[in-house]
Amino acid sequence: MAEKSQIAIYISLGSLAVSSLSFLFAIRQSKINKKNERLRAYDKVYHDASDLLLFHYKNAIEKSFTSEDKDLERAVNEYAHAHRLEQTFGFNIYNPDSLETDDEKREFNQKVRDAYHAFEREKQTSSFEEFINYQSPVFHLDNEEFSLRFNRLLAHVTENLSLFSPVIVDNWEKMRLLTPEKVKNEYLSLKRINEHSCEAIEEPIEDPYLRMLLGIRHEHRQLNMPLSKKWSEFWFNVSSVRYRVRRIFNKFSKRDRLDGGPF
């Protein structure tokens, strides 16, 4: 009788162990499924978010040079697409038929180089104009292609809101309160103020449209980051904190020595 009781206890313990393992496996599988579902939700909007963030920059960089002098316009655009060595030595660069002497050709080639470099500087400054963040969708929603891709992204986020992070949800809710025109006017107002002020005023703009795109790009990269890279990033952050603490400590120690303190 005692042996039967022991066997029954062992069977019960075995059943309990199997049930516990099954329960733990079910929890683990549920987490994996949830993560995979989140990954699929982010995958569908990641490329759109990344491309939209680069929309203005790519358009500015790829813009062609224009001029009333069509010979200069053609020469500058050909020079822009030439290899670096061709730019340096001037091989296969267009010269108008009207140029007869070597001096005229050299003068024209120098004019082309000057126009090219001035145009490149202008493109860089216009891409990153101070106080205006042209990554923001509010500046490009009048473009049909941009608007179509942004609205498609927004519709996907709206339909799968529970799969996105609290940061994305928070910005999605703020977009309901702030129209694109209102956010755009905030940027333009800050720019006008700084154009007439003695010192630059740095005031953060509440822009949930931009923050949503930045959040999607960042979180997609975090979700797809391999474990080895996560560890290296963790140790880098730990090291940087130690470095900042040491720097602050050294700063106060130096101040105490200069003041005649105990150090």
Side-chain angles (χ1 to χ4, degrees):
M1 189 72 177
E3 290 182 0
K4 288 183 179 180
S5 299
Q6 273 188 324
I7 293 172
I9 291 171
Y10 290 146
I11 292 173
S12 299
L13 289 173
S15 300
L16 180 63
V18 171
S19 299
S20 300
L21 289 172
S22 299
F23 178 70
L24 292 173
F25 177 78
I27 292 175
R28 181 176 178 275
Q29 192 61 42
S30 175
K31 288 182 177 180
I32 291 173
N33 292 339
K34 183 71 173 178
K35 182 180 178 182
N36 289 336
E37 198 174 359
R38 286 192 70 204
L39 275 171
R40 284 193 293 270
Y42 277 88
D43 280 340
K44 288 185 178 180
V45 289
Y46 170 73
H47 294 291
D48 274 338
S50 299
D51 288 345
L52 295 178
L53 285 168
L54 292 172
F55 181 80
H56 173 77
Y57 178 75
K58 288 174 67 176
N59 284 351
I61 294 301
E62 295 171 1
K63 185 170 63 174
S64 298
F65 176 77
T66 57
S67 172
E68 294 181 359
D69 185 342
K70 295 306 174 184
D71 287 329
L72 179 65
E73 179 180 313
R74 176 181 170 182
V76 169
N77 286 323
E78 287 189 8
Y79 184 83
H81 292 92
H83 189 274
R84 180 176 55 84
L85 294 176
E86 287 184 321
Q87 290 182 347
T88 303
F89 296 104
F91 299 136
N92 298 326
I93 302 301
Y94 170 74
N95 279 307
D97 295 333
S98 58
L99 303 179
E100 298 178 354
T101 67
D102 290 340
D103 287 341
E104 288 177 331
K105 292 179 181 179
R106 276 194 295 271
E107 185 180 342
F108 181 77
N109 286 337
Q110 187 59 49
K111 186 178 180 181
V112 169
R113 289 189 179 93
D114 292 342
Y116 166 76
H117 291 300
F119 183 58
E120 287 298 309
R121 284 193 298 271
E122 180 189 341
K123 286 198 295 186
Q124 292 294 336
T125 54
S126 66
S127 300
F128 302 102
E129 188 177 350
E130 199 172 9
F131 309 116
I132 296 287
N133 192 338
Y134 283 116
Q135 282 187 309
S136 177
V138 299
F139 291 101
H140 312 296
L141 289 173
D142 55 345
N143 179 282
E144 185 177 354
E145 178 192 352
F146 187 98
S147 180
L148 180 67
R149 296 185 71 177
F150 182 77
N151 287 331
R152 182 175 63 192
L153 178 150
L154 188 58
H156 179 74
V157 172
T158 303
E159 291 168 6
N160 301 276
L161 202 58
S162 61
L163 298 174
F164 288 91
S165 72
V167 174
I168 303 298
V169 174
D170 182 51
N171 284 302
W172 179 85
E173 291 173 348
K174 287 178 179 177
M175 286 170 59
R176 295 293 183 266
L177 303 174
L178 292 171
T179 64
E181 201 62 33
K182 181 174 177 58
V183 177
K184 184 177 179 180
N185 287 335
E186 289 283 334
Y187 280 110
L188 298 177
S189 297
L190 183 61
K191 180 187 175 184
R192 285 193 296 268
I193 290 169
N194 278 285
E195 284 175 345
H196 298 92
S197 63
C198 300
E199 295 182 3
I201 300 172
E202 296 182 4
E203 183 178 336
I205 303 294
E206 185 69 50
D207 187 352
Y209 297 85
L210 174 59
R211 289 179 182 174
M212 174 176 283
L213 297 185
L214 291 173
I216 288 170
R217 187 177 66 177
H218 172 73
E219 290 170 19
H220 181 273
R221 291 173 178 174
Q222 292 294 315
L223 286 169
N224 286 277
M225 187 182 293
L227 187 61
S228 58
K229 192 170 182 181
K230 287 182 179 179
W231 274 110
S232 63
E233 189 174 277
F234 170 77
W235 282 114
F236 173 79
N237 291 332
V238 170
S239 301
S240 63
V241 169
R242 288 170 57 196
Y243 171 75
R244 286 197 294 268
V245 171
R246 188 183 299 119
R247 188 173 62 178
I248 292 170
F249 177 77
N250 291 338
K251 182 179 178 181
F252 281 109
S253 297
K254 184 178 179 182
R255 183 182 299 172
D256 287 338
R257 285 195 299 271
L258 292 172
D259 294 340
F263 295 97

